[in-house]
Amino acid sequence: MKHQKNFLSWIESRHKQLLEAKRKAGEKGPKDAVYKKYRWYSEQQLLLEAINAFEVFYKRSFIALAGPMRRYIPPEKIKGSVDAKTIWASERQRSLVALIFEHQLYHDLEQVDNIANMLVGHKRYKPNGLKSPLRKRVRALQCVFQIRHTLSHNQGYVTVSDAAKFKVLGFFAKSGEVIDPTKNHLGSVIRDLLRMEAKEFTDWLLASAAKHLGAYSDERKELLPQKLRGRIEQSVGRHSDIDALVWDA
């Protein structure tokens, strides 16, 4: 997202510099309408890329945590279906964790919750819960994923179906119009939201993992190995709740 922001700033600055250079030379500058058209096109593609990257963030976070946590999750909690041919073609056993999670869809927050529940025994979003403390955030993310659908499948054109789905979420989008990421700073607002949610989700995931591991340790009267803490920190990040667990010497 930082690279995207820098790229858009670079496009804008180059356009201004070219206008100024042409003005000083007494020549006609680049047509502003052409610049706006291609700037809008770039914004559309970059916004779609950012939302897709956020889905990949979910996937990689779960895979990164699943490796270290594998021993501490009962097999009966793991659900999902992977084609037998895919498993058979897997070259290494260590890739089995990735096989379980890579094929999942992460633009469905209920599915994200289900996978989180498999790993750490907790759900973050609860999209069907009317009293969820994250209700506003959930609606915002669902709207972002609907924008992704419209950009990806309809090239930004809002169909009647798209408009109805936005309305259900509490947002207005007129059918027959095109999503413009440059209008009202929509693209920047969405990137800021995704950046904030990625940070808060990681914090929540690690805190939930700490609760799960603490309960596991207490139930079995078993100290957690230091190498587990190191693997979690290396794969996902450091968290005070993880550090506060009782670890072996």
Side-chain angles (χ1 to χ4, degrees):
M1 291 185 187
K2 181 179 179 182
H3 292 319
Q4 288 186 352
K5 183 178 180 180
N6 291 340
F7 173 69
L8 291 173
S9 297
W10 179 81
I11 290 178
E12 185 175 354
S13 66
R14 290 301 179 273
H15 179 68
K16 290 180 179 178
Q17 289 175 6
L18 186 56
L19 282 174
E20 181 63 18
K22 291 288 186 178
R23 185 190 65 80
K24 290 181 178 179
E27 300 176 6
K28 291 184 178 180
K31 295 181 179 180
D32 200 48
V34 175
Y35 162 73
K36 288 182 178 179
K37 179 175 70 173
Y38 288 110
R39 169 64 186 264
W40 168 78
Y41 175 76
S42 298
E43 283 263 20
Q44 263 205 347
Q45 296 304 307
L46 292 177
L47 181 57
L48 176 59
E49 182 182 276
I51 300 172
N52 285 336
F54 185 69
E55 293 187 57
V56 174
F57 157 76
Y58 278 137
K59 180 189 303 184
R60 291 183 177 175
S61 295
F62 285 135
I63 292 174
L65 185 62
M69 294 280 288
R70 184 174 179 180
R71 175 190 166 191
Y72 305 93
I73 302 171
E76 58 270 19
K77 288 198 65 177
I78 303 301
K79 300 177 182 179
S81 59
V82 181
D83 184 76
K85 292 181 180 179
T86 304
I87 297 176
W88 186 261
S90 175
E91 297 180 359
R92 300 180 181 179
Q93 185 176 1
R94 67 183 182 184
S95 65
L96 292 179
V97 169
L99 284 175
I100 294 173
F101 299 103
E102 282 181 343
H103 74 290
Q104 307 281 2
L105 299 177
Y106 294 93
H107 54 261
D108 181 345
L109 295 181
E110 187 173 0
Q111 179 70 352
V112 172
D113 268 355
N114 289 337
I115 296 172
N117 193 46
M118 283 195 302
L119 293 180
V120 297
H122 297 277
K123 296 182 178 182
R124 172 169 171 80
Y125 298 111
K126 304 173 185 175
N128 297 320
L130 297 178
K131 295 184 179 180
S132 170
L134 288 178
R135 184 60 186 162
K136 290 184 178 180
R137 178 68 58 83
V138 166
R139 286 176 57 248
L141 289 173
Q142 288 174 326
C143 181
V144 168
F145 289 140
Q146 179 58 42
I147 289 173
R148 168 208 166 275
H149 173 88
T150 303
L151 291 174
S152 179
H153 298 282
N154 300 317
Q155 294 184 315
Y157 179 84
V158 180
T159 64
V160 174
S161 175
D162 290 338
K165 291 175 182 177
F166 281 119
K167 186 176 181 179
V168 169
L169 294 172
F171 298 92
F172 175 76
K174 187 176 180 180
S175 61
E177 294 192 351
V178 176
I179 291 176
D180 182 359
T182 66
K183 188 174 182 179
N184 298 323
H185 307 288
L186 176 64
S188 297
V189 170
I190 290 177
R191 289 187 188 89
D192 288 343
L193 170 66
L194 297 182
R195 187 182 296 108
M196 178 172 60
E197 179 56 23
K199 183 177 183 301
E200 293 182 9
F201 178 83
T202 301
D203 182 79
W204 173 86
L205 187 64
L206 287 170
S208 299
K211 292 178 183 177
H212 177 81
L213 291 171
Y216 180 97
S217 178
D218 292 342
E219 181 181 343
R220 291 163 176 76
K221 309 298 181 185
E222 177 183 321
L223 294 179
L224 299 167
Q226 286 282 357
K227 65 178 181 180
L228 171 62
R229 176 166 60 171
R231 289 185 64 196
I232 293 176
E233 182 176 333
Q234 183 178 17
S235 300
V236 185
R238 187 171 184 176
H239 195 278
S240 58
D241 288 358
I242 296 288
D243 291 339
L245 294 172
V246 180
W247 302 94
D248 64 6

